[in-house]
């Protein structure tokens, strides 16, 4: 499955208007909030890029299973494609996931807490989240916000090769302007 | 002459009755909608209903002002027979709303003067109007007219004028900060600003252990890392920067170890 992704951010003071707009544009459901703790594990190979796995658990539903996700490198296709496309594998896991990954040789690189709202429109998922840094490793109560903005992500999970998906995403992103500009941000360009 | 007037009266009364019936139906359906479908009701459809009622009232007004309509003020209605008994014909005519033509209903239905409270208010208003004098009244009328025409102009003008002003206003309060976008995306994608041992701030290398560390750590770290990417003999090869303190104990041995280990398959090599 490929994940098509568009990202943007919105300042705190514009959050309310963005949520109102999303509630009007998206499918009619009770607004869902979430609080998740994500840990990113790295497996160092002999050479080359390390293998990254993301483990996520819900702090608002502690009994729910963990969610493990692999995200590949973004596909460098034609530049006209409007969304970032990358390979994505999702599985659910039990609560022994961190120990299991440690035993396998993965080491946790960083962790953060994300909480915010999630909306859906058809196959599109819109997540508005506030990221917080964890000050003491393992202690999710003691967090500090990363910035004064909320991260807005529009994503679709679809089989490879469906370019109509990115068209739909772009037209939806148009409807959110000028509150937030959703665009494809290449993470490798952010690195330095 | 009189026949013509009578005919006119009859015709105008009939058309008035039909218009009033339209208003009644519109009100009836609106009330029904408000009472039964209020969950699904949207503001534009409520506005539509009000617009319909206002249009119908307008036609009634036009009808009354029509020159062909004789003045109804000249007609007088006198009840000839009042009885407390139920009148079936009347009940059918009025859809069961007026079953009895009695002393109670006559003051309400045949009233020509306004209610006493309304009369009081009207008297007060006309006294006030007489008090302020004609020049002040004229000035007030002019101000009201000017305000209304300004408003109408603003509403009727083409959208470009409005957009130009609102665009400049909106520029000052933009709702997102691109620098923040980049920071957040960096944090989610590869932990920029999130690595545990760094001081809070976006100065974190993406993959600790790969290449020289940039933080202000002790020089022992640099000696260790300079020898390879996190390959520490006998230490199970974890990548997290927590290892930095320990290799300080044996700097020289690590260097030599690494020289020999680079060629062979180390069991803890990852």
């Amino acid at each position: 499955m490929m994940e098509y992704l568009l990202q943007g951010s919105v300042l705190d003071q514009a959050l309310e208007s963005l949520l109102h707009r999303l509630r009007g544009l998206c499918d009619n459901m009770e607004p869902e909030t979430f609080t998740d703790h994500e840990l990113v594990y790295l497996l160092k190979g002999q050479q080359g890029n390390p293998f990254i796995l993301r483990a996520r658990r819900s702090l608002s539903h502690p009994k729910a299973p963990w969610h493990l996700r692999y995200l590949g490198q973004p596909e460098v296709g034609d530049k006209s494609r409007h969304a970032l496309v990358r390979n994505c594998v999702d599985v659910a896991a039990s609560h022994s996931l961190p120990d299991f990954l440690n035993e396998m040789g993965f080491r946790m690189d960083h962790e953060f807490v994300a909480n915010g709202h999630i909306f859906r429109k058809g196959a599109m998922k819109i997540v508005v989240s506030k990221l917080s840094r964890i000050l003491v490793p393992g202690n999710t109560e003691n967090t500090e916000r990363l910035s004064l903005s909320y991260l807005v992500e529009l994503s679709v999970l679809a089989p490879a090769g469906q370019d109509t998906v990115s068209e739909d995403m772009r037209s939806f992103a148009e409807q959110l302007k000028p509150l937030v500009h959703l665009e494809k941000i290449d993470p490798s360009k952010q690195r330095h | 002459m009189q026949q013509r007037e009578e005919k006119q009266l009859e015709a105008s009364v009939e058309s008035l009755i039909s218009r009033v019936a339209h208003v009644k139906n519109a009100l009836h359906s609106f009330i029904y909608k408000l009472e039964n479908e209020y969950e699904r009701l949207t503001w534009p459809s409520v506005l539509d209903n009000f617009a319909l009622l206002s249009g119908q009232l307008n036609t009634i007004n036009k009808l009354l002002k029509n020159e062909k309509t004789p003045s109804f003020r000249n007609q007088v209605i006198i009840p000839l027979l009042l009885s407390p008994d139920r009148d079936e014909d009347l009940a059918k005519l009025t859809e069961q709303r007026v079953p009895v033509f009695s002393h109670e209903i006559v003051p309400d239905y045949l009233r020509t003067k306004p209610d006493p409270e309304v009369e009081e208010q009207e008297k007060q208003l006309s006294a006030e109007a007489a008090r302020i004098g004609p020049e002040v009244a004229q000035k007030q009328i002019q101000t009201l007219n000017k305000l209304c025409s300004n408003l109408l102009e603003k509403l009727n003008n083409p959208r470009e004028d409005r957009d130009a002003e609102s665009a400049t206003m909106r520029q000052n309060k933009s709702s997102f900060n691109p620098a923040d976008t980049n920071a957040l995306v960096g944090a989610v994608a590869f932990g920029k600003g999130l690595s545990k041992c760094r001081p809070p701030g976006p100065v974190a290398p993406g993959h600790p252990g790969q290449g020289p560390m940039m933080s202000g750590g002790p020089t022992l770290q640099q000696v260790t890392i300079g020898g390879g990417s996190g390959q520490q003999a006998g230490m199970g090869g974890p990548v997290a920067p927590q290892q930095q303190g320990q290799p300080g104990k044996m700097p020289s041995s690590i260097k030599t170890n690494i020289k020999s280990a680079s060629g062979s398959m180390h069991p803890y090599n990852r």
Side-chain angles (χ1 to χ4, degrees):
Chain A
M1 291 288 262
M2 307 297 280
E3 185 201 35
Y4 295 74
L5 182 67
L6 283 176
Q7 289 167 309
S9 77
V10 66
L11 293 171
D12 278 356
Q13 54 260 36
L15 177 72
E16 272 308 306
S17 14
L18 178 66
L19 289 180
H20 275 254
R21 203 183 275 206
L22 284 173
R23 216 177 293 159
L25 287 172
C26 297
D27 289 348
N28 188 17
M29 43 183 249
E30 282 306 312
E32 251 179 69
T33 55
F34 69 93
T35 309
D36 280 355
H37 172 207
E38 177 156 330
L39 303 92
V40 178
Y41 284 86
L42 286 186
L43 181 65
K44 284 274 314 180
Q46 273 99 339
Q47 77 281 350
N49 294 331
F51 188 75
I52 305 179
L53 278 183
R54 294 164 186 275
R56 205 159 170 138
R57 68 170 169 134
S58 169
L59 293 173
S60 43
H61 301 278
K63 299 263 173 58
W66 284 63
H67 175 219
L68 187 65
R69 172 177 257 217
Y70 164 73
L71 289 172
Q73 292 296 325
E75 256 184 34
V76 279
D78 46 304
K79 296 290 176 357
S80 63
R81 197 181 298 155
H82 305 289
L84 194 72
V85 186
R86 48 192 186 180
N87 193 10
C88 169
V89 180
D90 288 298
V91 288
S94 71
H95 290 260
S96 51
L97 183 66
D99 297 331
F100 178 71
L101 289 174
N102 276 326
E103 295 293 326
M104 292 278 285
F106 285 84
R107 286 296 170 261
M108 186 181 74
D109 181 55
H110 59 270
E111 53 179 347
F112 58 88
V113 169
N115 62 51
H117 305 257
I118 178 168
F119 298 88
R120 233 184 318 142
K121 184 177 170 69
M124 297 196 280
K125 182 173 78 165
I126 299 102
V127 179
V128 178
S129 58
K130 160 172 79 164
L131 301 183
S132 310
R133 181 187 293 123
I134 292 182
L135 297 171
V136 176
N139 181 0
T140 52
E141 303 297 319
N142 193 7
T143 61
E144 168 200 20
R145 279 197 73 178
L146 266 186
S147 86
L148 292 175
S149 291
Y150 278 66
L151 179 67
V152 183
E153 289 175 305
L154 168 64
S155 62
V156 179
L157 280 181
Q162 288 193 356
D163 272 337
T164 48
V165 168
S166 61
E167 282 305 313
D168 292 337
M169 288 171 76
R170 193 178 72 91
S171 49
F172 187 79
E174 288 291 315
Q175 297 183 336
L176 289 181
K177 290 187 180 171
L179 275 181
V180 53
H181 279 209
L182 288 174
E183 49 199 4
K184 77 172 171 181
I185 302 179
D186 199 353
S188 51
K189 295 211 176 76
Q190 300 293 319
R191 191 152 292 201
H192 300 293
Chain B
M1 247 330 245
Q2 273 192 343
Q3 267 187 340
R4 205 158 37 123
E5 279 181 13
E6 276 181 23
K7 275 219 189 77
Q8 269 187 352
L9 187 61
E10 215 170 315
S12 57
V13 165
E14 281 210 18
S15 54
L16 198 61
I17 288 179
S18 74
R19 294 265 172 267
V20 169
H22 285 159
V23 176
K24 179 174 84 81
N25 284 335
L27 273 174
H28 182 72
S29 61
F30 189 27
I31 291 178
Y32 181 81
K33 242 202 259 185
L34 280 176
E35 285 183 352
N36 296 338
E37 300 175 9
Y38 59 84
E39 289 150 12
R40 285 197 296 278
L41 215 49
T42 61
W43 181 237
S45 78
V46 170
L47 280 180
D48 283 342
N49 280 95
F50 278 122
L52 178 65
L53 286 169
S54 133
Q56 285 172 339
L57 286 172
N58 255 343
T59 34
I60 291 182
N61 271 341
K62 261 197 279 201
L63 187 67
L64 289 173
K65 276 195 241 171
N66 191 2
E67 43 195 36
K68 286 237 172 76
T69 327
S71 170
F72 289 132
R73 279 180 197 270
N74 300 340
Q75 317 289 335
V76 177
I77 298 184
I78 310 175
L80 288 177
L81 176 63
L82 291 178
S83 85
D85 300 327
R86 192 186 159 86
D87 188 357
E88 276 312 314
D89 289 333
L90 184 60
K92 234 187 315 180
L93 209 60
T94 58
E95 296 173 16
Q96 309 300 328
R97 276 197 296 264
V98 188
V100 185
F101 198 65
S102 72
H103 312 79
E104 303 165 332
I105 64 132
V106 164
D108 287 328
Y109 282 95
L110 299 182
R111 176 190 293 279
T112 46
K113 270 172 69 162
D115 287 347
E117 302 102 31
V118 177
E119 226 175 338
E120 262 307 307
Q121 284 185 344
E122 247 197 270
K123 229 191 322 188
Q124 278 182 353
L125 279 176
S126 26
E128 175 97 18
R131 190 171 55 82
I132 60 175
E135 297 95 19
V136 182
Q138 195 61 23
K139 235 194 287 190
Q140 284 188 354
I141 294 176
Q142 280 177 354
T143 331
L144 180 66
N145 281 338
K146 207 167 30 154
L147 283 173
C148 287
S149 57
N150 269 352
L151 200 59
L152 278 173
E153 217 185 276
K154 275 221 177 92
L155 289 172
N156 286 333
N157 265 349
R159 297 188 78 230
E160 293 95 41
D161 298 347
R162 264 189 285 144
D163 273 351
E165 327 174 330
S166 50
T168 45
M169 279 204 307
R170 249 181 270 141
Q171 294 234 335
N172 302 337
K173 34 176 177 132
S174 72
S175 57
F176 67 95
N177 180 359
D180 275 350
T181 311
N182 291 338
L184 287 170
V185 170
V188 170
F190 49 87
K192 196 163 161 191
L194 289 176
S195 274
K196 303 185 293 291
C197 291
R198 297 282 167 272
V203 202
H207 295 284
Q210 225 182 19
M213 302 272 203
M214 311 275 218
S215 70
T219 44
L220 294 168
Q221 291 179 13
Q222 287 169 356
V223 166
T224 316
I225 303 302
S229 36
Q231 296 169 16
Q232 286 147 15
M235 279 199 187
V239 185
Q242 290 142 343
Q243 299 292 316
Q244 289 152 13
Q246 300 170 15
K249 296 179 194 151
M250 33 177 188
S252 50
S253 61
I254 285 203
K255 265 200 166 159
T256 49
N257 267 353
I258 283 180
K259 283 208 182 101
S260 59
S262 57
S264 64
M265 271 309 292
H266 201 287
Y268 299 109
N269 208 358
R270 288 241 151 83

